[in-house]
Amino acid sequence: MTTMTTTATTTTGQTVLDARGVTMRFGGLTAVRGVDLTVRSGEIVGLIGPNGAGKTTFFNCLTGLYTPTEGEVRYKDTVLPPTSYKVTAAGIARTFQNIRLFANMTVLENVLVGRHTRTKEGFWSAVLRGPGFHKAEAASRARATELLEFVGLAAKADHLARNLPYGEQRKLEIARALASEPGLLLLDEPTAGMNPQETRATEELVFAIRDQGIAVLVIEHDMRFIFNLCDRVAVLVQGEKLIEGDSATVQGDERVVAAYLGEPLENDPGAAEAAEVEAAEAHADTPHDTAAGKENDR
């Protein structure tokens, strides 16, 4: 795997993500309420919160899986369309909490799927298979091979994705996301189910991605991982942003401690409403859910 930097200190620059007043309702339930968040180039930002806090719902609003009920999402000053493949084409890629690989395709083929938004060849080029098609195909394979080398999977390029160990499947999903050449990468619980050694390797990989100039926004329940990794951390509780700041500021906030220890906050609806929100999200029937899911599974 590519040599990696193990410090989170870097120079930040242009705002790549600007989410303003993002609200997502499912019927009478509000899963996300008025959330503002920015991410700048050269920055790793963490998003944490108890189960049912609205973190994945917020991610889905950023990536076009859901159309926010209110608010807007901008990428490099352009309002994003509420369609997942257009969001990917604009420059935002993501991984999922539950791994979504093509199990019966090879490792290399999975990464090549991620290149589809960056290839210029059309239908007739693919049918006729002229020189332009073969040149584009060779370029895509070369880039996919580079990415597999980057994440440490080059030796397994011809293996079926389903035969990879769990931790390597996570790496493959990241490589596939990077194949779309994003300016912002969203990681949804990238260390879930990993042992400490795998978690450390993921941390180093995220630093290496940041050092390539890609901004990163990450959801994670492993607090040690988050606070070691991130320049800033935002905390969602009951669908609202409770606090945002550096690791020391967030760890020292009494409201954050209360949220994680289960002590009731003011007007806390308790676990019942959190479960209702999760159920509503799971069964949401918006016009974009099915199509967006298919686009993300390609």
Side-chain angles (χ1 to χ4, degrees):
M1 185 163 65
T2 302
T3 302
M4 300 174 196
T5 303
T6 55
T7 172
T9 302
T10 189
T11 301
T12 59
Q14 178 188 14
T15 297
V16 292
L17 175 71
D18 185 7
R20 305 177 183 180
V22 173
T23 297
M24 187 68 207
R25 298 189 183 93
F26 300 103
L29 296 173
T30 302
V32 176
R33 182 182 292 107
V35 175
D36 298 329
L37 186 70
T38 61
V39 181
R40 296 183 292 273
S41 60
E43 197 174 34
I44 303 173
V45 176
L47 186 64
I48 66 173
N51 288 332
K55 303 182 297 297
T56 295
T57 301
F58 182 63
F59 257 36
N60 289 342
C61 290
L62 299 182
T63 56
L65 281 173
Y66 296 157
T67 302
T69 309
E70 297 174 12
E72 67 178 19
V73 180
R74 292 177 176 266
Y75 177 74
K76 294 183 178 180
D77 294 327
T78 300
V79 177
L80 289 173
T83 310
S84 60
Y85 74 91
K86 291 183 179 179
V87 170
T88 302
I92 297 179
R94 71 170 292 178
T95 65
F96 291 84
Q97 183 176 350
N98 299 314
I99 296 174
R100 298 187 182 185
L101 295 174
F102 298 99
N104 293 319
M105 293 171 65
T106 68
V107 169
L108 179 63
E109 288 168 343
N110 267 273
V111 180
L112 286 171
V113 169
R115 293 289 303 167
H116 77 280
T117 60
R118 298 296 173 236
T119 56
K120 305 299 183 182
E121 301 304 305
F123 173 77
W124 287 111
S125 177
V127 171
L128 298 174
R129 293 180 174 268
F133 172 83
H134 290 293
K135 183 178 179 180
E137 185 178 44
S140 290
R141 291 181 69 89
R143 178 55 179 157
T145 300
E146 287 178 5
L147 289 169
L148 290 178
E149 183 70 34
F150 180 70
V151 302
L153 293 177
K156 296 187 175 182
D158 295 328
H159 292 211
L160 291 180
R162 69 185 182 200
N163 293 333
L164 292 182
Y166 178 82
E168 292 185 348
Q169 289 189 20
R170 287 280 183 191
K171 288 182 178 180
L172 177 55
E173 194 174 35
I174 290 173
R176 185 178 63 183
L178 291 174
S180 68
E181 307 295 345
L184 172 65
L185 177 63
L186 278 59
L187 302 175
D188 194 347
E189 297 195 26
T191 69
M194 289 186 176
N195 61 40
Q197 183 178 2
E198 291 170 330
T199 297
R200 178 57 180 167
T202 301
E203 181 181 309
E204 292 179 343
L205 177 58
V206 176
F207 283 141
I209 291 168
R210 184 277 314 276
D211 291 343
Q212 298 260 327
I214 300 170
V216 181
L217 177 60
V218 55
I219 292 174
E220 187 54 69
H221 284 292
D222 184 334
M223 294 298 97
R224 178 176 296 179
F225 174 80
I226 280 288
F227 292 131
N228 284 343
L229 184 75
C230 297
D231 301 297
R232 287 185 292 120
V233 178
V235 183
L236 290 187
V237 176
Q238 302 166 28
E240 298 184 66
K241 188 170 74 174
L242 183 66
I243 186 175
E244 179 182 340
D246 60 26
S247 296
T249 300
V250 171
Q251 290 180 83
D253 191 279
E254 294 182 357
R255 296 169 298 170
V256 176
V257 175
Y260 275 96
L261 292 178
E263 298 176 14
L265 300 172
E266 184 179 359
N267 298 321
D268 186 354
E273 182 168 318
E276 284 186 77
V277 169
E278 289 185 337
E281 179 181 356
H283 295 91
D285 186 21
T286 68
H288 299 287
D289 284 350
T290 301
K294 290 179 180 178
E295 291 292 343
N296 276 275
D297 284 341
R298 287 183 179 177

mmCIF file with all atom_site columns, all heavy atoms in Angstrom, residues 86-104:
data_model
loop_
_atom_site.group_PDB
_atom_site.id
_atom_site.type_symbol
_atom_site.label_atom_id
_atom_site.label_alt_id
_atom_site.label_comp_id
_atom_site.label_asym_id
_atom_site.label_entity_id
_atom_site.label_seq_id
_atom_site.pdbx_PDB_ins_code
_atom_site.Cartn_x
_atom_site.Cartn_y
_atom_site.Cartn_z
_atom_site.occupancy
_atom_site.B_iso_or_equiv
_atom_site.pdbx_formal_charge
_atom_site.auth_seq_id
_atom_site.auth_comp_id
_atom_site.auth_asym_id
_atom_site.auth_atom_id
_atom_site.pdbx_PDB_model_num
ATOM 1   N N   . LYS A 1 86  ? -25.938 11.961  -10.287 1.00 0.00 ? 86  LYS A N   1
ATOM 2   C CA  . LYS A 1 86  ? -25.505 13.309  -10.613 1.00 0.00 ? 86  LYS A CA  1
ATOM 3   C C   . LYS A 1 86  ? -24.633 13.877  -9.498  1.00 0.00 ? 86  LYS A C   1
ATOM 4   O O   . LYS A 1 86  ? -23.694 14.642  -9.765  1.00 0.00 ? 86  LYS A O   1
ATOM 5   C CB  . LYS A 1 86  ? -26.712 14.214  -10.855 1.00 0.00 ? 86  LYS A CB  1
ATOM 6   C CG  . LYS A 1 86  ? -27.481 13.881  -12.124 1.00 0.00 ? 86  LYS A CG  1
ATOM 7   C CD  . LYS A 1 86  ? -28.631 14.845  -12.355 1.00 0.00 ? 86  LYS A CD  1
ATOM 8   C CE  . LYS A 1 86  ? -29.392 14.512  -13.644 1.00 0.00 ? 86  LYS A CE  1
ATOM 9   N NZ  . LYS A 1 86  ? -30.533 15.433  -13.859 1.00 0.00 ? 86  LYS A NZ  1
ATOM 10  N N   . VAL A 1 87  ? -24.917 13.506  -8.261  1.00 0.00 ? 87  VAL A N   1
ATOM 11  C CA  . VAL A 1 87  ? -24.072 13.917  -7.141  1.00 0.00 ? 87  VAL A CA  1
ATOM 12  C C   . VAL A 1 87  ? -22.685 13.299  -7.287  1.00 0.00 ? 87  VAL A C   1
ATOM 13  O O   . VAL A 1 87  ? -21.664 13.960  -7.076  1.00 0.00 ? 87  VAL A O   1
ATOM 14  C CB  . VAL A 1 87  ? -24.715 13.506  -5.800  1.00 0.00 ? 87  VAL A CB  1
ATOM 15  C CG1 . VAL A 1 87  ? -23.743 13.702  -4.639  1.00 0.00 ? 87  VAL A CG1 1
ATOM 16  C CG2 . VAL A 1 87  ? -25.993 14.317  -5.552  1.00 0.00 ? 87  VAL A CG2 1
ATOM 17  N N   . THR A 1 88  ? -22.636 12.018  -7.666  1.00 0.00 ? 88  THR A N   1
ATOM 18  C CA  . THR A 1 88  ? -21.348 11.358  -7.891  1.00 0.00 ? 88  THR A CA  1
ATOM 19  C C   . THR A 1 88  ? -20.585 12.028  -9.020  1.00 0.00 ? 88  THR A C   1
ATOM 20  O O   . THR A 1 88  ? -19.381 12.279  -8.915  1.00 0.00 ? 88  THR A O   1
ATOM 21  C CB  . THR A 1 88  ? -21.564 9.869   -8.218  1.00 0.00 ? 88  THR A CB  1
ATOM 22  O OG1 . THR A 1 88  ? -22.268 9.248   -7.148  1.00 0.00 ? 88  THR A OG1 1
ATOM 23  C CG2 . THR A 1 88  ? -20.230 9.161   -8.403  1.00 0.00 ? 88  THR A CG2 1
ATOM 24  N N   . ALA A 1 89  ? -21.285 12.335  -10.100 1.00 0.00 ? 89  ALA A N   1
ATOM 25  C CA  . ALA A 1 89  ? -20.645 13.002  -11.238 1.00 0.00 ? 89  ALA A CA  1
ATOM 26  C C   . ALA A 1 89  ? -20.116 14.383  -10.848 1.00 0.00 ? 89  ALA A C   1
ATOM 27  O O   . ALA A 1 89  ? -19.081 14.834  -11.366 1.00 0.00 ? 89  ALA A O   1
ATOM 28  C CB  . ALA A 1 89  ? -21.619 13.114  -12.399 1.00 0.00 ? 89  ALA A CB  1
ATOM 29  N N   . ALA A 1 90  ? -20.810 15.056  -9.917  1.00 0.00 ? 90  ALA A N   1
ATOM 30  C CA  . ALA A 1 90  ? -20.377 16.384  -9.482  1.00 0.00 ? 90  ALA A CA  1
ATOM 31  C C   . ALA A 1 90  ? -19.075 16.318  -8.696  1.00 0.00 ? 90  ALA A C   1
ATOM 32  O O   . ALA A 1 90  ? -18.274 17.264  -8.720  1.00 0.00 ? 90  ALA A O   1
ATOM 33  C CB  . ALA A 1 90  ? -21.467 17.034  -8.638  1.00 0.00 ? 90  ALA A CB  1
ATOM 34  N N   . GLY A 1 91  ? -18.851 15.203  -7.975  1.00 0.00 ? 91  GLY A N   1
ATOM 35  C CA  . GLY A 1 91  ? -17.591 15.083  -7.242  1.00 0.00 ? 91  GLY A CA  1
ATOM 36  C C   . GLY A 1 91  ? -17.699 14.574  -5.823  1.00 0.00 ? 91  GLY A C   1
ATOM 37  O O   . GLY A 1 91  ? -16.745 14.690  -5.046  1.00 0.00 ? 91  GLY A O   1
ATOM 38  N N   . ILE A 1 92  ? -18.842 13.975  -5.448  1.00 0.00 ? 92  ILE A N   1
ATOM 39  C CA  . ILE A 1 92  ? -19.006 13.406  -4.111  1.00 0.00 ? 92  ILE A CA  1
ATOM 40  C C   . ILE A 1 92  ? -19.207 11.901  -4.241  1.00 0.00 ? 92  ILE A C   1
ATOM 41  O O   . ILE A 1 92  ? -20.072 11.443  -4.972  1.00 0.00 ? 92  ILE A O   1
ATOM 42  C CB  . ILE A 1 92  ? -20.207 14.029  -3.371  1.00 0.00 ? 92  ILE A CB  1
ATOM 43  C CG1 . ILE A 1 92  ? -19.981 15.527  -3.146  1.00 0.00 ? 92  ILE A CG1 1
ATOM 44  C CG2 . ILE A 1 92  ? -20.436 13.330  -2.029  1.00 0.00 ? 92  ILE A CG2 1
ATOM 45  C CD1 . ILE A 1 92  ? -21.139 16.225  -2.452  1.00 0.00 ? 92  ILE A CD1 1
ATOM 46  N N   . ALA A 1 93  ? -18.401 11.146  -3.526  1.00 0.00 ? 93  ALA A N   1
ATOM 47  C CA  . ALA A 1 93  ? -18.529 9.687   -3.503  1.00 0.00 ? 93  ALA A CA  1
ATOM 48  C C   . ALA A 1 93  ? -18.729 9.233   -2.071  1.00 0.00 ? 93  ALA A C   1
ATOM 49  O O   . ALA A 1 93  ? -18.403 9.952   -1.125  1.00 0.00 ? 93  ALA A O   1
ATOM 50  C CB  . ALA A 1 93  ? -17.291 9.024   -4.098  1.00 0.00 ? 93  ALA A CB  1
ATOM 51  N N   . ARG A 1 94  ? -19.265 8.018   -1.907  1.00 0.00 ? 94  ARG A N   1
ATOM 52  C CA  . ARG A 1 94  ? -19.536 7.531   -0.554  1.00 0.00 ? 94  ARG A CA  1
ATOM 53  C C   . ARG A 1 94  ? -19.374 6.022   -0.465  1.00 0.00 ? 94  ARG A C   1
ATOM 54  O O   . ARG A 1 94  ? -19.389 5.310   -1.475  1.00 0.00 ? 94  ARG A O   1
ATOM 55  C CB  . ARG A 1 94  ? -20.955 7.902   -0.112  1.00 0.00 ? 94  ARG A CB  1
ATOM 56  C CG  . ARG A 1 94  ? -22.045 7.119   -0.829  1.00 0.00 ? 94  ARG A CG  1
ATOM 57  C CD  . ARG A 1 94  ? -23.410 7.338   -0.198  1.00 0.00 ? 94  ARG A CD  1
ATOM 58  N NE  . ARG A 1 94  ? -23.511 6.751   1.137   1.00 0.00 ? 94  ARG A NE  1
ATOM 59  C CZ  . ARG A 1 94  ? -24.582 6.838   1.921   1.00 0.00 ? 94  ARG A CZ  1
ATOM 60  N NH1 . ARG A 1 94  ? -25.643 7.499   1.485   1.00 0.00 ? 94  ARG A NH1 1
ATOM 61  N NH2 . ARG A 1 94  ? -24.615 6.281   3.108   1.00 0.00 ? 94  ARG A NH2 1
ATOM 62  N N   . THR A 1 95  ? -19.219 5.565   0.768   1.00 0.00 ? 95  THR A N   1
ATOM 63  C CA  . THR A 1 95  ? -19.359 4.146   1.084   1.00 0.00 ? 95  THR A CA  1
ATOM 64  C C   . THR A 1 95  ? -20.598 4.006   1.962   1.00 0.00 ? 95  THR A C   1
ATOM 65  O O   . THR A 1 95  ? -21.190 5.000   2.396   1.00 0.00 ? 95  THR A O   1
ATOM 66  C CB  . THR A 1 95  ? -18.128 3.597   1.822   1.00 0.00 ? 95  THR A CB  1
ATOM 67  O OG1 . THR A 1 95  ? -18.013 4.249   3.106   1.00 0.00 ? 95  THR A OG1 1
ATOM 68  C CG2 . THR A 1 95  ? -16.864 3.827   1.013   1.00 0.00 ? 95  THR A CG2 1
ATOM 69  N N   . PHE A 1 96  ? -20.974 2.751   2.241   1.00 0.00 ? 96  PHE A N   1
ATOM 70  C CA  . PHE A 1 96  ? -22.202 2.504   2.980   1.00 0.00 ? 96  PHE A CA  1
ATOM 71  C C   . PHE A 1 96  ? -21.926 1.757   4.283   1.00 0.00 ? 96  PHE A C   1
ATOM 72  O O   . PHE A 1 96  ? -20.938 1.035   4.408   1.00 0.00 ? 96  PHE A O   1
ATOM 73  C CB  . PHE A 1 96  ? -23.192 1.707   2.124   1.00 0.00 ? 96  PHE A CB  1
ATOM 74  C CG  . PHE A 1 96  ? -23.741 2.482   0.965   1.00 0.00 ? 96  PHE A CG  1
ATOM 75  C CD1 . PHE A 1 96  ? -23.044 2.568   -0.237  1.00 0.00 ? 96  PHE A CD1 1
ATOM 76  C CD2 . PHE A 1 96  ? -24.943 3.165   1.075   1.00 0.00 ? 96  PHE A CD2 1
ATOM 77  C CE1 . PHE A 1 96  ? -23.531 3.299   -1.300  1.00 0.00 ? 96  PHE A CE1 1
ATOM 78  C CE2 . PHE A 1 96  ? -25.450 3.902   0.019   1.00 0.00 ? 96  PHE A CE2 1
ATOM 79  C CZ  . PHE A 1 96  ? -24.745 3.968   -1.174  1.00 0.00 ? 96  PHE A CZ  1
ATOM 80  N N   . GLN A 1 97  ? -22.841 1.946   5.224   1.00 0.00 ? 97  GLN A N   1
ATOM 81  C CA  . GLN A 1 97  ? -22.741 1.261   6.510   1.00 0.00 ? 97  GLN A CA  1
ATOM 82  C C   . GLN A 1 97  ? -22.730 -0.255  6.308   1.00 0.00 ? 97  GLN A C   1
ATOM 83  O O   . GLN A 1 97  ? -21.952 -0.973  6.927   1.00 0.00 ? 97  GLN A O   1
ATOM 84  C CB  . GLN A 1 97  ? -23.907 1.680   7.402   1.00 0.00 ? 97  GLN A CB  1
ATOM 85  C CG  . GLN A 1 97  ? -23.870 1.083   8.799   1.00 0.00 ? 97  GLN A CG  1
ATOM 86  C CD  . GLN A 1 97  ? -25.013 1.620   9.654   1.00 0.00 ? 97  GLN A CD  1
ATOM 87  O OE1 . GLN A 1 97  ? -25.722 2.555   9.274   1.00 0.00 ? 97  GLN A OE1 1
ATOM 88  N NE2 . GLN A 1 97  ? -25.192 1.032   10.811  1.00 0.00 ? 97  GLN A NE2 1
ATOM 89  N N   . ASN A 1 98  ? -23.595 -0.735  5.427   1.00 0.00 ? 98  ASN A N   1
ATOM 90  C CA  . ASN A 1 98  ? -23.602 -2.142  5.036   1.00 0.00 ? 98  ASN A CA  1
ATOM 91  C C   . ASN A 1 98  ? -22.914 -2.255  3.681   1.00 0.00 ? 98  ASN A C   1
ATOM 92  O O   . ASN A 1 98  ? -23.331 -1.621  2.717   1.00 0.00 ? 98  ASN A O   1
ATOM 93  C CB  . ASN A 1 98  ? -25.044 -2.673  4.947   1.00 0.00 ? 98  ASN A CB  1
ATOM 94  C CG  . ASN A 1 98  ? -25.760 -2.580  6.273   1.00 0.00 ? 98  ASN A CG  1
ATOM 95  O OD1 . ASN A 1 98  ? -25.218 -2.945  7.309   1.00 0.00 ? 98  ASN A OD1 1
ATOM 96  N ND2 . ASN A 1 98  ? -26.988 -2.062  6.253   1.00 0.00 ? 98  ASN A ND2 1
ATOM 97  N N   . ILE A 1 99  ? -21.860 -3.054  3.626   1.00 0.00 ? 99  ILE A N   1
ATOM 98  C CA  . ILE A 1 99  ? -21.039 -3.147  2.424   1.00 0.00 ? 99  ILE A CA  1
ATOM 99  C C   . ILE A 1 99  ? -21.893 -3.498  1.211   1.00 0.00 ? 99  ILE A C   1
ATOM 100 O O   . ILE A 1 99  ? -22.699 -4.422  1.246   1.00 0.00 ? 99  ILE A O   1
ATOM 101 C CB  . ILE A 1 99  ? -19.931 -4.191  2.614   1.00 0.00 ? 99  ILE A CB  1
ATOM 102 C CG1 . ILE A 1 99  ? -18.975 -3.746  3.727   1.00 0.00 ? 99  ILE A CG1 1
ATOM 103 C CG2 . ILE A 1 99  ? -19.151 -4.397  1.322   1.00 0.00 ? 99  ILE A CG2 1
ATOM 104 C CD1 . ILE A 1 99  ? -17.933 -4.776  4.084   1.00 0.00 ? 99  ILE A CD1 1
ATOM 105 N N   . ARG A 1 100 ? -21.701 -2.757  0.108   1.00 0.00 ? 100 ARG A N   1
ATOM 106 C CA  . ARG A 1 100 ? -22.455 -2.979  -1.123  1.00 0.00 ? 100 ARG A CA  1
ATOM 107 C C   . ARG A 1 100 ? -21.495 -3.219  -2.282  1.00 0.00 ? 100 ARG A C   1
ATOM 108 O O   . ARG A 1 100 ? -21.267 -2.334  -3.109  1.00 0.00 ? 100 ARG A O   1
ATOM 109 C CB  . ARG A 1 100 ? -23.363 -1.785  -1.419  1.00 0.00 ? 100 ARG A CB  1
ATOM 110 C CG  . ARG A 1 100 ? -24.417 -1.538  -0.342  1.00 0.00 ? 100 ARG A CG  1
ATOM 111 C CD  . ARG A 1 100 ? -25.376 -0.451  -0.776  1.00 0.00 ? 100 ARG A CD  1
ATOM 112 N NE  . ARG A 1 100 ? -26.367 -0.167  0.240   1.00 0.00 ? 100 ARG A NE  1
ATOM 113 C CZ  . ARG A 1 100 ? -27.384 0.674   0.081   1.00 0.00 ? 100 ARG A CZ  1
ATOM 114 N NH1 . ARG A 1 100 ? -27.541 1.306   -1.074  1.00 0.00 ? 100 ARG A NH1 1
ATOM 115 N NH2 . ARG A 1 100 ? -28.250 0.893   1.054   1.00 0.00 ? 100 ARG A NH2 1
ATOM 116 N N   . LEU A 1 101 ? -20.935 -4.403  -2.314  1.00 0.00 ? 101 LEU A N   1
ATOM 117 C CA  . LEU A 1 101 ? -20.054 -4.787  -3.413  1.00 0.00 ? 101 LEU A CA  1
ATOM 118 C C   . LEU A 1 101 ? -20.800 -5.712  -4.368  1.00 0.00 ? 101 LEU A C   1
ATOM 119 O O   . LEU A 1 101 ? -21.842 -6.267  -4.021  1.00 0.00 ? 101 LEU A O   1
ATOM 120 C CB  . LEU A 1 101 ? -18.811 -5.501  -2.871  1.00 0.00 ? 101 LEU A CB  1
ATOM 121 C CG  . LEU A 1 101 ? -17.863 -4.668  -2.005  1.00 0.00 ? 101 LEU A CG  1
ATOM 122 C CD1 . LEU A 1 101 ? -16.773 -5.549  -1.420  1.00 0.00 ? 101 LEU A CD1 1
ATOM 123 C CD2 . LEU A 1 101 ? -17.259 -3.518  -2.802  1.00 0.00 ? 101 LEU A CD2 1
ATOM 124 N N   . PHE A 1 102 ? -20.233 -5.887  -5.555  1.00 0.00 ? 102 PHE A N   1
ATOM 125 C CA  . PHE A 1 102 ? -20.763 -6.868  -6.491  1.00 0.00 ? 102 PHE A CA  1
ATOM 126 C C   . PHE A 1 102 ? -20.034 -8.174  -6.211  1.00 0.00 ? 102 PHE A C   1
ATOM 127 O O   . PHE A 1 102 ? -18.900 -8.384  -6.672  1.00 0.00 ? 102 PHE A O   1
ATOM 128 C CB  . PHE A 1 102 ? -20.558 -6.394  -7.926  1.00 0.00 ? 102 PHE A CB  1
ATOM 129 C CG  . PHE A 1 102 ? -21.292 -5.115  -8.222  1.00 0.00 ? 102 PHE A CG  1
ATOM 130 C CD1 . PHE A 1 102 ? -20.622 -3.899  -8.204  1.00 0.00 ? 102 PHE A CD1 1
ATOM 131 C CD2 . PHE A 1 102 ? -22.652 -5.126  -8.490  1.00 0.00 ? 102 PHE A CD2 1
ATOM 132 C CE1 . PHE A 1 102 ? -21.297 -2.714  -8.467  1.00 0.00 ? 102 PHE A CE1 1
ATOM 133 C CE2 . PHE A 1 102 ? -23.332 -3.950  -8.756  1.00 0.00 ? 102 PHE A CE2 1
ATOM 134 C CZ  . PHE A 1 102 ? -22.659 -2.741  -8.733  1.00 0.00 ? 102 PHE A CZ  1
ATOM 135 N N   . ALA A 1 103 ? -20.688 -9.036  -5.443  1.00 0.00 ? 103 ALA A N   1
ATOM 136 C CA  . ALA A 1 103 ? -20.020 -10.202 -4.868  1.00 0.00 ? 103 ALA A CA  1
ATOM 137 C C   . ALA A 1 103 ? -19.440 -11.140 -5.915  1.00 0.00 ? 103 ALA A C   1
ATOM 138 O O   . ALA A 1 103 ? -18.390 -11.762 -5.686  1.00 0.00 ? 103 ALA A O   1
ATOM 139 C CB  . ALA A 1 103 ? -20.989 -10.958 -3.962  1.00 0.00 ? 103 ALA A CB  1
ATOM 140 N N   . ASN A 1 104 ? -20.110 -11.280 -7.065  1.00 0.00 ? 104 ASN A N   1
ATOM 141 C CA  . ASN A 1 104 ? -19.676 -12.232 -8.084  1.00 0.00 ? 104 ASN A CA  1
ATOM 142 C C   . ASN A 1 104 ? -18.816 -11.602 -9.168  1.00 0.00 ? 104 ASN A C   1
ATOM 143 O O   . ASN A 1 104 ? -18.548 -12.228 -10.195 1.00 0.00 ? 104 ASN A O   1
ATOM 144 C CB  . ASN A 1 104 ? -20.891 -12.912 -8.712  1.00 0.00 ? 104 ASN A CB  1
ATOM 145 C CG  . ASN A 1 104 ? -21.611 -13.808 -7.722  1.00 0.00 ? 104 ASN A CG  1
ATOM 146 O OD1 . ASN A 1 104 ? -20.967 -14.513 -6.945  1.00 0.00 ? 104 ASN A OD1 1
ATOM 147 N ND2 . ASN A 1 104 ? -22.937 -13.773 -7.732  1.00 0.00 ? 104 ASN A ND2 1
#
